[in-house]
Amino acid sequence: MEQDSNRMTKDEGQLQQLKMSAGRAVVDDMVKCGMKLGLGTGSTAIHAVRRTGELLAQGQLCDISVFATSFQTEIECEKLDIPFYTLNSRELSSGLDLTIDGADEVDPQSRLIKGGGGAMLIEKLAAYASVLYAIIVDESKIVENLGTGFPVPVEVVPEARVQAAKALDKMGAVVYLREALRKAGPVITEHGNVILDARFGSPVDPAFMETELNRIPGVVENGFFTRNPPVVYIACSKGTVEIRKKP
Ligand code: 5RP
């Protein structure tokens, strides 16, 4: 089954090219034979999935066991013949050696906002089950403070939609129920929940908020990622890929 392909503008084409360079670079640098590998979700992480598939097909990588963080990633792995397993499987239950993913924002301490693609629940499982963590972004995602620009996604069980939105409002956020495209009503996540996108009026402490948001009844997970600082591969508009070391 093929997905719709939208016509890209020149700028979008250039951005895709940059993301692809960074996605390929991180796989070439960090993925080794025998690894248990988490693969992330989104238009940037997919380039790392494709590069992994390419190297496996060429025989330059071997014995890789993958954990795919979403249906999007599973489907891409299926297309590329990349073997993937659940995190509960015998192959992966001892944890992951490396996870490669995208992000929506990265602050100076390499703390992240993720979940623009709605997959942060499983992406966080992968991130925190991994020894090494690598993030690929373009330079537009590097910010001074998290939470005031890109809204932090908060996944809540449908029954908690209104109460959780009120709690977020009390914490100083403007809250939007994420609406689906090409389906009427809200986005329903791969785990049957809805997403509240919360934008704060002033900078917040991401580590504190990561814990605090999950204390709201009905919240399943939120998009602050602060506990496994990643290596960050930054695709720059001048055409280079900069690597920011793990802090
Ligand atoms: C999905 C994510 C994505 O990694 C994040 O939204 C970045 O996506 P893209 O690379 O398409 O901009 O967290 O839940």
Side-chain angles (χ1 to χ4, degrees):
M1 205 184 324
E2 291 302 318
Q3 292 187 329
D4 280 0
S5 61
N6 296 322
R7 196 176 292 167
M8 275 193 256
T9 64
K10 194 172 162 219
D11 282 357
E12 283 164 352
Q14 214 168 25
L15 185 62
Q16 279 308 319
Q17 210 44 53
L18 291 172
K19 289 175 174 183
M20 188 166 78
S21 308
R24 292 173 74 85
V26 70
V27 173
D28 292 354
D29 289 353
M30 296 185 74
V31 180
K32 311 281 178 236
C33 286
M35 272 190 163
K36 297 170 182 179
L37 178 65
L39 288 174
T41 300
S43 61
T44 315
I46 202 145
H47 293 296
V49 181
R50 290 181 182 148
R51 181 63 175 158
T52 302
E54 196 176 292
L55 293 177
L56 280 169
Q58 291 169 358
Q60 294 187 53
L61 269 182
C62 54
D63 194 22
I64 298 288
S65 307
V66 162
F67 175 59
T69 54
S70 64
F71 292 152
Q72 181 205 29
T73 312
E74 283 186 2
I75 290 166
E76 199 63 23
C77 287
E78 284 167 6
K79 282 187 196 162
L80 298 167
D81 269 335
I82 300 176
F84 59 91
Y85 304 90
T86 72
L87 213 46
N88 297 317
S89 64
R90 196 177 297 238
E91 282 78 5
L92 299 183
S93 57
S94 60
L96 302 170
D97 298 302
L98 165 69
T99 289
I100 301 173
D101 205 345
D104 301 297
E105 283 190 343
V106 182
D107 82 357
Q109 293 168 59
S110 297
R111 298 173 301 188
L112 315 171
I113 285 185
K114 288 187 46 55
M120 68 279 184
L121 173 59
I122 304 302
E123 289 174 327
K124 196 174 279 191
L125 280 183
Y128 292 174
S130 284
V131 178
L132 298 171
Y133 189 34
I135 286 293
I136 325 156
V137 288
D138 67 79
E139 63 191 354
S140 69
K141 293 177 172 178
I142 304 293
V143 298
E144 272 307 305
N145 297 296
L146 300 179
T148 55
F150 195 93
V152 62
V154 183
E155 180 161 346
V156 303
V157 298
E159 294 78 1
R161 171 171 51 88
V162 172
Q163 295 305 319
K166 281 185 191 167
L168 289 165
D169 177 73
K170 273 197 193 145
M171 292 166 86
V174 177
V175 183
Y176 306 88
L177 176 65
R178 192 178 296 184
E179 294 288 334
L181 291 175
R182 304 184 66 190
K183 176 240 172 212
V187 165
I188 304 298
T189 69
E190 291 175 17
H191 300 275
N193 300 312
V194 296
I195 294 177
L196 300 175
D197 285 311
R199 181 179 289 114
F200 290 89
S202 50
V204 294
D205 175 347
F208 173 76
M209 276 297 174
E210 180 171 2
T211 301
E212 212 51 23
L213 295 179
N214 284 3
R215 288 157 58 98
I216 299 171
V219 167
V220 180
E221 194 47 88
N222 69 80
F224 284 119
F225 283 54
T226 67
R227 296 181 196 145
N228 190 6
V231 179
V232 185
Y233 278 64
I234 307 166
C236 302
S237 50
K238 58 185 180 208
T240 55
V241 177
E242 286 177 12
I243 303 173
R244 188 201 279 178
K245 285 188 186 151
K246 177 185 165 107

